[in-house]
Amino acid sequence: MSIVYREETVADLEQIRRVNTEAFGQAAEADLVDTLRREGHATLSLVAAAEDEVRGHILFSDLPIDTESGPLPTVALAPMAVLPQFQRQGIGSQLVRHGLEICRGRGFCAVLVLGHVDYYPRFGFSAKLAQQIASPFSGDAFMAAELAPGALKNVRGRVEYPPPFFA
Ligand SMILES: CC(C)(COP(=O)(O)OP(=O)(O)OC[C@H]1O[C@@H](n2cnc3c(N)ncnc32)[C@H](O)[C@@H]1OP(=O)(O)O)[C@@H](O)C(=O)NCCC(=O)NCCS
């Protein structure tokens, strides 16, 4: 069955909760998605759907980098999830790739993620690119990807994650 990658609709919301809850084994990430959406932080919410079944989900939220020369339009990738029985079939990778393309098309310069260090580098994320960006998260799991070549070159700044990320 072919999988379609598209933006969420209201009809998907319950299934998006299910995907996140089953993938993470808890409700915290599903709650985070709902809160970010409700409070207007969500920039792009994509689903991987086979007919009417949502099998995967990814969320991008506005997270500008504050620099001395003003804010740089950036998004945070979090969370992403694929139903356990459909993992390791490439759905997660397609969600990331489609998401990055759409964010690039919408004029964002970069994407930040706090995530698995063995997973995100394949999409261009690196901890080195995020080193000059001050955030409550630091270390190897805090990574950045440029959406245009050199977009983060010589960029120093800070990001303020909205409160739902700390709930
Ligand atoms: C992470 C996740 C979204 C990947 O989705 P997916 O559809 O299985 O991903 P793909 O099929 O495109 O890629 C599979 C690859 O992801 C890797 N992967 C999956 N979970 C991983 C993890 N926790 N750490 C590192 N790599 C992981 C697999 O090893 C596999 O690598 P390989 O291709 O080298 O064998 C999915 O495993 C999931 O929902 N996990 C639980 C929720 C989660 O951890 N979300 C990410 C939060 S940062």
Side-chain angles (χ1 to χ4, degrees):
M1 189 179 295
S2 70
I3 306 224
V4 174
Y5 296 86
R6 57 165 175 77
E7 291 201 50
E8 70 171 29
T9 68
V10 174
D12 298 320
L13 302 192
E14 256 328 294
Q15 291 198 73
I16 290 172
R17 272 201 72 80
R18 173 178 164 237
V19 168
N20 280 281
T21 305
E22 291 195 16
F24 286 98
Q26 57 180 30
E29 287 76 11
D31 292 343
L32 174 63
V33 170
D34 285 346
T35 308
L36 289 170
R37 186 192 295 113
R38 189 176 62 244
E39 295 188 357
H41 301 294
T43 306
L44 176 66
S45 181
L46 285 183
V47 296
E51 298 199 337
D52 287 339
E53 184 187 38
V54 176
R55 295 183 176 177
H57 173 254
I58 192 167
L59 188 74
F60 296 85
S61 301
D62 253 322
L63 189 67
I65 302 174
D66 293 322
T67 73
E68 275 189 356
S69 44
L72 197 71
T74 308
V75 286
L77 186 177
M80 72 173 291
V82 173
L83 281 176
Q85 62 270 38
F86 297 112
Q87 290 177 7
R88 302 193 86 130
Q89 297 175 21
I91 293 175
S93 298
Q94 290 285 44
L95 281 168
V96 176
R97 294 202 171 99
H98 278 84
L100 297 189
E101 271 316 303
I102 295 171
C103 290
R104 180 180 291 119
R106 291 184 181 176
F108 290 99
C109 297
V111 183
L112 299 171
V113 72
L114 183 72
H116 305 305
V117 295
D118 296 331
Y119 187 62
Y120 291 99
R122 68 188 73 184
F123 309 109
F125 287 89
S126 89
K128 196 163 174 236
L129 279 172
Q131 257 171 7
Q132 304 297 327
I133 302 162
S135 95
F137 314 110
S138 56
D140 287 349
F142 183 59
M143 295 173 269
E146 296 174 327
L147 294 176
L152 291 175
K153 197 164 178 231
N154 300 326
V155 169
R156 279 172 176 271
R158 65 168 48 249
V159 287
E160 298 238 1
Y161 280 81
F165 280 102
F166 305 101

